[in-house]
Amino acid sequence: MAEYALFLGCIMPLRYPGIETATMEVAKALEMDMEVLEGTSCCPAPGVFRSFDRNTWLALGARNLALAEEKGTQIVTVCNGCFGSLWEVADLIEKDEKKKEYANSILKEIGKQYNGGVKVRQLAEILYTEIGLDAIAAKVTNKLDYMKAAVHYGCHYFKPDIVKKIDNRERPKTLDELLEVTGATSVDYRHKNMCCGAGGGVRSRAKEVAQAMTDQKLEAMKESGANCIVDICPFCHLQFDQGQSGLGTSFPVIHLSQLYVMAFGLDEAINGFEAHTVPVKF
Amino acid sequence: MASDNKPKAVDPAFTKSVVDAGADTVTLCFQCGTCTGSCPSGRVTAFRTRVMMRRVQLGFKDDVLPSDELWLCTTCASCDERCPRGVKITDIIMTLRNMAVREGYMAEAHKNTARSLMKTGHAIPLGDAFRKLRETLGLDGEPPTVLTDKEGLEEIKKIVKATGFDKLVG
Ligand code: SF4
Ligand code: SF4
């Protein structure tokens, strides 16, 4: 199997499939050896299923990891939820023998086993550390200098930063730099590092509370003079894309993979922007 | 149940059960309020992370487990990254939520999400419009996940049975 296995998850393939096609095309353009990891389920989502029952969360996560282990590949996610769950399940199993034993006692029932060692990555972090800004810049044929983007990192990308060591939680820069390499500007705004509001099962249980958090971010984006939102997570993406009618804003919401499709001059039809509530136009 | 001002029964066994479930750092909290100051949810609601930690320390079980507040945390982890006492707050909230679910406090919306996972292997359904959009994009209408992998879906069903999740959700 390929070096990188794209983990699909739920929101991307089922709500914003353009992120899926965009990710595969961008990987191809950057000569990354990447295939879709087949037979997976929900990661399972960290906010809901870990909240309900950690054992089930661990066992289902371990099954997804076992699929990557069988293929001898690393997992690439383009969703902070999937990244958060799979990274944490892998980390727990690595560090806690009891958790590993429990996970395998359940996997035994389905004739599977997870021995550990599968690397779980976020595409943004691979682009930043392995592919590099220079190689990305070399692919940019369409300067996106008309974009003034409010970047939204999302929580589970770099937190907990003490163990993840991807970026600085108080002053992150990887996504800003990954954006600006396209010629776009990253605008500074209040609440830049704040949660989108959707996580932790809040969107499904108390939608108005999730929306109130989103509104705080949108207000701040408005003040900053941004003309779009750039994210690295389909769930944050959905929260921003579907949550703008109340304030009457119309920031196009663009995932990093979709942004690179635009910057690399690839066929923009693959971005699947027709799934977006807010039209992507400038 | 929203919190009110009526005195609640103190249950020291509750504190112990939270500690025994691995959330022992709750005892380290010295009530500085850094967590509350970091909390995106507390900005828009009456949920106070610091108060929740204190309630656990004092054994105010009935203020914690049935509460709506317990479910207002987005698990953003801003608080526990900043806590000067190393209290693993998000983790403690997870422990409390797991306990709440076992005591039967689970919102209908959450039960439905859990049922979707048990039935399809995914947290949300695939509608016709999205199936068509996938095809327009050159993808298979149904993604190559457990949605199309029958054996894989059977595995998910076996796992949720083996962990007792199916009974827990009901
Ligand atoms: S930041 Fe830590 S010590 Fe301070 S109130 Fe919150 S949990 Fe307690
Ligand atoms: S993890 Fe939960 S309690 Fe802590 S700051 Fe985030 S929303 Fe608030």
Side-chain angles (χ1 to χ4, degrees):
Chain A
M1 168 115 190
E3 183 182 0
Y4 301 109
L6 178 64
F7 183 83
L8 296 177
C10 299
I11 313 234
M12 173 178 76
L14 307 180
R15 290 296 176 273
Y16 293 102
I19 299 175
E20 185 179 332
T21 29
T23 300
M24 291 308 288
E25 286 305 312
V26 166
K28 208 194 287 167
L30 292 169
E31 290 164 36
M32 291 172 70
D33 181 21
M34 186 153 90
E35 282 172 29
V36 167
L37 184 62
E38 299 190 346
T40 55
S41 65
C42 176
C43 51
V48 273
F49 302 118
R50 189 179 42 162
S51 292
F52 303 159
D53 182 48
R54 275 176 167 144
N55 286 342
T56 306
W57 169 76
L58 185 84
L60 288 171
R63 177 184 172 276
N64 284 327
L65 292 170
L67 294 174
E69 185 183 24
E70 282 164 18
K71 298 238 148 77
T73 179
Q74 10 185 350
I75 286 183
V76 181
T77 65
V78 286
C79 169
N80 289 340
C82 301
F83 183 53
S85 263
L86 294 171
W87 188 94
E88 238 181 90
V89 168
D91 189 57
L92 278 173
I93 288 177
E94 219 65 60
K95 289 179 182 154
D96 188 338
E97 199 54 41
K98 276 207 195 104
K99 294 256 170 10
K100 185 173 177 179
E101 267 171 33
Y102 176 79
N104 279 317
S105 75
I106 302 292
L107 292 184
K108 210 167 154 216
E109 306 264 330
I110 59 165
K112 281 197 169 9
Q113 196 177 340
Y114 177 60
N115 300 299
V118 168
K119 279 198 186 145
V120 180
R121 317 283 303 270
Q122 217 300 0
L123 180 70
E125 165 256 328
I126 297 177
L127 293 177
Y128 194 82
T129 58
E130 279 180 25
I131 309 296
L133 294 174
D134 291 343
I136 298 169
K139 292 283 172 202
V140 175
T141 55
N142 277 347
K143 281 244 174 260
L144 306 178
D145 47 14
Y146 54 89
M147 272 192 203
K148 287 191 278 175
V151 301
H152 173 79
Y153 280 85
C155 305
H156 303 286
Y157 170 56
F158 49 72
K159 285 186 272 190
D161 77 341
I162 298 140
V163 272
K164 273 189 177 148
K165 293 190 171 52
I166 291 173
D167 210 331
N168 181 313
R169 66 168 192 263
E170 305 292 351
R171 222 168 257 279
K173 64 177 171 75
T174 49
L175 182 53
D176 296 80
E177 291 183 14
L178 287 167
L179 164 83
E180 293 201 322
V181 81
T182 66
T185 309
S186 173
V187 301
D188 215 3
Y189 66 102
R190 283 192 303 136
H191 312 317
K192 182 172 168 185
N193 299 340
M194 179 183 162
C195 175
C196 70
V202 177
R203 181 184 163 89
S204 61
R205 185 180 156 129
K207 205 169 178 192
E208 68 295 347
V209 174
Q211 185 63 50
M213 287 183 249
T214 312
D215 284 352
Q216 289 211 341
K217 290 212 67 152
L218 289 169
E219 283 283 7
M221 289 169 182
K222 224 160 77 177
E223 276 168 25
S224 73
N227 63 5
C228 64
I229 300 169
V230 169
D231 63 70
I232 48 174
C233 171
F235 197 35
C236 307
H237 192 90
L238 177 134
Q239 183 67 10
F240 286 118
D241 183 42
Q242 297 188 359
Q244 294 191 48
S245 57
L247 287 179
T249 52
S250 53
F251 297 117
V253 183
I254 305 166
H255 188 282
L256 184 65
S257 299
Q258 296 171 315
L259 182 88
Y260 282 174
V261 165
M262 298 165 87
F264 294 178
L266 304 171
D267 176 10
E268 280 190 30
I270 63 165
N271 274 338
F273 284 144
E274 53 271 52
H276 290 216
T277 304
V278 179
V280 180
K281 54 173 202 263
F282 288 87
Chain B
M1 190 182 75
S3 44
D4 51 44
N5 291 327
K6 284 188 212 123
K8 294 276 160 28
V10 174
D11 181 359
F14 171 57
T15 314
K16 188 172 180 304
S17 64
V18 176
V19 168
D20 290 349
D24 52 329
T25 58
V26 72
T27 59
L28 300 175
C29 170
F30 63 1
Q31 292 289 292
C32 69
T34 306
C35 49
T36 295
S38 304
C39 183
S41 188
R43 279 184 201 169
V44 299
T45 65
F47 166 47
R48 296 292 174 264
T49 320
R50 176 186 62 84
V51 175
M52 175 131 340
M53 295 304 116
R54 191 68 179 138
R55 284 179 173 152
V56 174
Q57 287 181 332
L58 294 175
F60 287 168
K61 182 180 176 184
D62 293 340
D63 267 338
V64 175
L65 294 190
S67 76
D68 285 329
E69 288 168 8
L70 182 56
W71 297 90
L72 294 181
C73 161
T74 67
T75 71
C76 76
S78 299
C79 53
D80 53 47
E81 297 253 301
R82 290 178 181 157
C83 171
R85 296 284 287 162
V87 179
K88 295 203 169 93
I89 304 160
T90 322
D91 211 52
I92 292 163
I93 290 174
M94 287 300 131
T95 300
L96 295 170
R97 286 181 174 184
N98 276 218
M99 291 170 91
V101 167
R102 282 198 297 275
E103 298 233 341
Y105 301 113
M106 191 177 188
E108 204 48 37
H110 282 167
K111 283 192 178 171
N112 287 336
T113 308
R115 287 182 191 124
S116 167
L117 177 78
M118 292 193 282
K119 197 170 148 219
T120 68
H122 285 283
I124 50 171
L126 171 66
D128 273 344
F130 292 104
R131 195 174 282 119
K132 280 206 196 88
L133 176 57
R134 289 185 58 83
E135 282 164 4
T136 314
L137 292 169
L139 296 164
D140 292 333
E142 314 227 314
T145 63
V146 291
L147 278 183
T148 44
D149 173 358
K150 292 233 154 50
E151 261 174 57
L153 183 57
E154 280 315 306
E155 292 178 7
I156 301 302
K157 291 183 174 170
K158 279 187 193 154
I159 289 176
V160 295
K161 213 170 163 193
T163 63
F165 192 60
D166 55 345
K167 292 222 172 65
L168 191 67
V169 176

